[in-house]
Every structure is written in C-alpha cells, then in structure tokens.
Amino acid sequence: MKIHLLASAEILETLQKGIRLLEPDLGIELSSEGVPLYVEQKKGPLIVKRTAEKNTIIYEEPIQFYRALGLWIENYKKHSEFEQVEEKHFKMTGVMPDLSRNAVLKKEQLYFFLRKMAVMGLNTLMLYIEDIYEIEDDPYFGYMRGRYTQEELKQVDDYAHALGIEVIPAIQTLAHLQTALRWNDRRNIKDTEDILLVGEKETYRFIDKMITAATRPFRTKRIHIGMDEAMDLGLGRYLELNNYQHRLAIMMKHLDEVMKLTTEKKLEPMIWSDMFFRIASKNNEYYDEEGIIPQEVVRQIPREVQLVYWDYYHSEQAHYQLFLKKHKDLGSHPIFAGGAWTWNGVAPNYGRAFVNSEAALKACKSEGIEEVFLTLWADNGAETPLTTALPVMQLYAEYTYKQEINQEELAERFLGCAGMKLEWFMLLNEFDEVPGVGKNNLLSSSPSKFILWQDSLTGLFDANIKTLELGKHYRGLYERLMQIQNCESDYISLFDFYKQLAKVLATKAEIGINLKRAYDQKDKQRMAIHVEQLKSLKEDMKYLHEKHNRLWFELYKPFGWEVLDIRYGGASARIDTAISRIKSWLKDEVVIIEELEAERLVYDAKYDIVEGFLGTEKYHHIVTTGHLSH
C-alpha cells in the first residue's frame, strides 16, 4: 500500500525515518503516488479519520503517530469512512525485557520489539542489564555473558528514538550482582554472594563506573538503579567489618552515596520499593497489607528518587489500589511495574498475566498513576522465549489508550500490530493450564517444565499428576498447534518449537507413571513396550533440542545457550540410563530397579499442594533430590 504523507516539513523530518523502519511490518511504502494522508501535530487526543474527501491523523507525541498509523491502515482496509479517537491514560508505558538471566536478545531482536512497541503505542523500553554492558578497562564485567558494546547500545537508542521511544538502562547497585561478583578481583567489594559491600570507597568507584557505562550510550537522563531483594544485606563481610547493623540503616547509607553519584551526573534515578515495605512487615513480606513504614524511615527516603512498585502476583484491584496509596504516602509519585509471566517455566502463563495486569492497570487509572511498565523476566534458564510476551504488551497498550477493552478488540489490534492471530498465541497458555490446574493458573503451576525435565525413573512429580491423563491433554494441544497455517516468518521457529514440545510432553507426561505401574505388576511384556516408547521419546527430545536451538539463535546471543544444552543433554542421558536399567531387569540381570521400587510421594518441597495447584520448581529441584551443584 502506497501512502503520500502530507504534513509540514518539520513533521516529515521527525517521522519519516521511523516510518521507513516500519514499512515492511505494516506493508506500506511512502510515495507521492500513494493515498493522500494528512498529518497534524497538536495537543490533545490521538485521532484517525477517513471521509470521502480526506484521510487524517492528528497526534501529540511521535509514539502516538506510529500507533495512529497502524490504526489508520487497519481501518482503511475495512471501512470507507471511520473516525477513532483515543486519549492517552499513562504518560509512560514501558516494557522491560530481562537481558541478564542467560538470554541476551540480539540487537536485531531489540529492533523487532521496538517496531512492535511503536505500532502498539508503547513509548519506553527499559533494558534490564545487571552486567550485560561494556565497562571500559573491566574485562571481567559481563565476561562470557553476551554483554552489549557501547556502540550496540547507542544503535538501539538511535533506532528507538526514530520511533519515538525512550530507552532507559536498568541496572543493579546493591543486590542481584552474583554474576558480576563471582570473580576474585571483586572480593574487596563483596558483602555476600550477590550483594555489594556498603561503605567501602572501592565499592562506590565500581558503582560510579557502572552508572557511567550504563548511561553513556543513551539520550535519556533516567536510570533504574535497582536495590531490590537485598535480604542478606549486612550479613556477610559487612558483619565481620562493622558488627551487626539493621539492614535498613545500611541501605539508607548506601542509597545516599549512590544518589550523590546520580546527582553529580544530573541523572533521574528510580529504585524498586520492596525493601522499605519489608521493613514494615513482621514477616518480612513486601505485600503485607497491615505493615506500616515508620515515619523516621519515610523522612529518610530521598525525594529525588522515584519508587517503583512491582507486583505480579495479585488478582484483586483493591490490593493494587491499597499499595499505590501506601507508595503515595511515602511522598512518591510511584511507577507501577507488572509482569508478563514469561518466567512460569517453558511456556507463558497468559492466564495469570492477563488477570493480574487488568486488575493492576485499572487500579493505576483509578489512583492517577502516570507511569507503568511491563517486566519480561527470564528466571531459571530463560526457557520461555521473550517473544511470547507480545500479547501482554498489547494488553498494556490497549489499556494505555482505552478505558476498557474486550477480547475481540485486543485480538484485532494484535493482528494489526504483531501480525499474528491472538488465538494462536493463546494456545501456548495450555502448556501449563492443564486439567487439575485452577482457572487462569493463578497459583503458577508449571507442569510443562517439570514434566519436560523430570527423570522418568524417579518421577518426582508423578504423584501430583497421576490421575489427570495429561498425555491426552498434550496430544490434543499438539493437534491444535499443527493446524496453525500461514505463520508469519517472525514466528515460524517459535511455533515449531512449541509444536515439538507438545509432542514430547504427550509421551513424557505419563511415561514414568506407566513404568512404575508395569514394574509393580511385574508386567515385562508391557515394560518392553515402554522401552520402545523411551527410544521414540529420546528421538523426539533430540528434535525438540534442535528446534529450541534454532529458535534461541534467532532471538539471542549464543552465551547462555550452554545452560539449556546441559539440560537437554542430561535429559537424553537419563533416558539412556532408564532404557539400560529396564533392559537389565527384563533379562533378569538385576532383580530390582531401586528407582521404581521407591514409593511416589506428592512433591511438596516448596508449597503445600492445594486444589488447582500441581507444583512448580526450579530445574535443579526437578531433576534430583540430591545436590546438583554442590
């Protein structure tokens, strides 16, 4: 579709580069021979309009124009006349991809996200980069981690700027620095394994270098300096040097020193707010509704720092409103951070992400919150591709420009912005929202993860799923995924991976249960059949490994893939062991198989098993009850 943009020279100069970047995604081409489209910039709502005489876009900020362009194209294809008016409810709506939990998005994939964000109308990209950026004269910072060069980050900022998007670095200046502190030359600035040693001059020289390097490539003056979840603060080397001090006193001293550095550089810092609220809780909880932060603490919080209230866990609007008010009581204009639930396991948890996000965003509107962003965490191996966050990003976008939305409108916008049917992405939700899991998986069960990685001989989670016929569920899911046709090239590898995952889970969900049953019944004929199933399963796991590999190297830098190689290799080796052990038993070379002799207990190491919850664990707890790394 050819479009002839009619606007002032100033508008054309501002927008043309961004439009050129979006031309392939939107299927358009700027041309003097195209459909005349009049563009005007003025304060007020976003307006897209078509009459018999004229096509018009009116916008205030560049990001609104790119959203409006997408809306105009969608409507132009369907209606001879239309008018759509949208008010922007949030000054900032952002996305924060986690680039520090093994998976570092390629620069080109950051460009992909930026283009999708622009058409959605999302105006901020926060890059969570604990040690994933280059510091001059510090070769160990981000060593073998896929760190970005200064030039790469500058190019990302330039690309974003052309699309009306601000890029903000999000680093850590207290805790969550385990990978940066693992090296011996950091021993003088380390309190505990992942927390910096407060009060040492060398620590602040290190932080100064981090802040300088993290901000240099970007136009923005804003920076997220972290400071969350420092629960062991002051309990390591700090304790040896200074005796016991309350961690809040230590943190406030540290915050003052870091604020001096940001002030010197004329930066506008924000921090996560949880440590203040944990102090107010008798049980050290962030979300303790009865907790009251003492006024002497409130007075110590610098007014120059914005507090970020992160909450991915609640489904009630009233809870979010209460905590937003608590943040306001601290004298803060808080930023809200929600979660895309890309860290549930191997697949996204859209149920929980949608329910909790809608409750949170409605609360933010009710409380007059101006800034929100969506976190795309990648905990415990980055097994879920970050591309799966797109539907939740769309949800944030629609709540930014509309008071209420419905599923039909969301699906229509997703097709226009992401180029895919929302219903196809939503199939991925069925990897974890299986029989036995409560509606919307609000307790975050992760059966696809624990079934994929658990050992067939020990079957640590088999008692949790024994009666649920999950093999049947995954076979049905595989058949539905196989019906996806005409998949956009950007998503072919994504859906190839999930198709193969469903195929693997269809067998693996019940193979351990079946092995145990046949063994207990001394049914060697049946056991021989299961040996053949294990052989087929190993081949299917091999193909899954290959498809995951292809997807990873499309999305991410190579560093971090070794973690998943090790997991797939371990799963394959354990299938070989199972086959060997069972064959020995079938030949009467061994009398018993100790692993199959053992009673299957409900897995409840982390949580009590309750109705609607099947279990969720980290990899090293799924594959063994022994010590994987010690």
Side-chain angles (χ1 to χ4, degrees), residues 18 34 111 191 218 220 279 328 375 386 445 449 572 576-577 605:
Y111 293 169
D191 179 4
F218 304 109
T220 187
I279 297 301
K328 290 180 186 177
T375 61
L386 290 186
S445 295
K449 183 182 179 83
S572 178
D576 284 340
T577 297

Side-chain angles (χ1 to χ4, degrees), residues 132-229:
I132 309 299
Y133 56 101
E134 182 181 45
I135 294 181
E136 188 176 354
D137 299 326
D138 194 339
Y140 282 98
F141 191 80
Y143 174 60
M144 290 292 183
R145 293 264 289 144
R147 64 191 172 206
Y148 295 110
T149 65
Q150 291 282 308
E151 181 59 26
E152 282 179 306
L153 292 175
K154 183 181 183 302
Q155 289 170 358
V156 169
D157 191 59
D158 289 343
Y159 198 98
H161 182 69
L163 294 168
I165 297 172
E166 179 182 22
V167 184
I168 300 174
I171 66 172
Q172 291 288 356
T173 57
L174 181 57
H176 286 294
L177 286 167
Q178 182 175 358
T179 53
L181 295 177
R182 66 177 292 174
W183 306 107
N184 193 47
D185 67 346
R186 312 279 195 240
R187 64 189 181 279
N188 293 330
I189 61 171
K190 182 163 65 174
D191 179 4
T192 67
E193 189 177 49
D194 73 333
I195 298 177
L196 287 168
L197 182 58
V198 172
E200 294 295 310
K201 288 183 179 179
E202 192 174 336
T203 297
Y204 298 103
R205 283 194 289 269
F206 179 65
I207 293 172
D208 188 30
K209 287 166 60 178
M210 286 197 296
I211 293 173
T212 299
T215 55
R216 183 183 293 131
F218 304 109
R219 291 170 171 81
T220 187
K221 286 297 182 181
R222 304 186 79 179
I223 181 174
H224 197 319
I225 56 174
M227 297 206 183
D228 60 313
E229 297 184 318

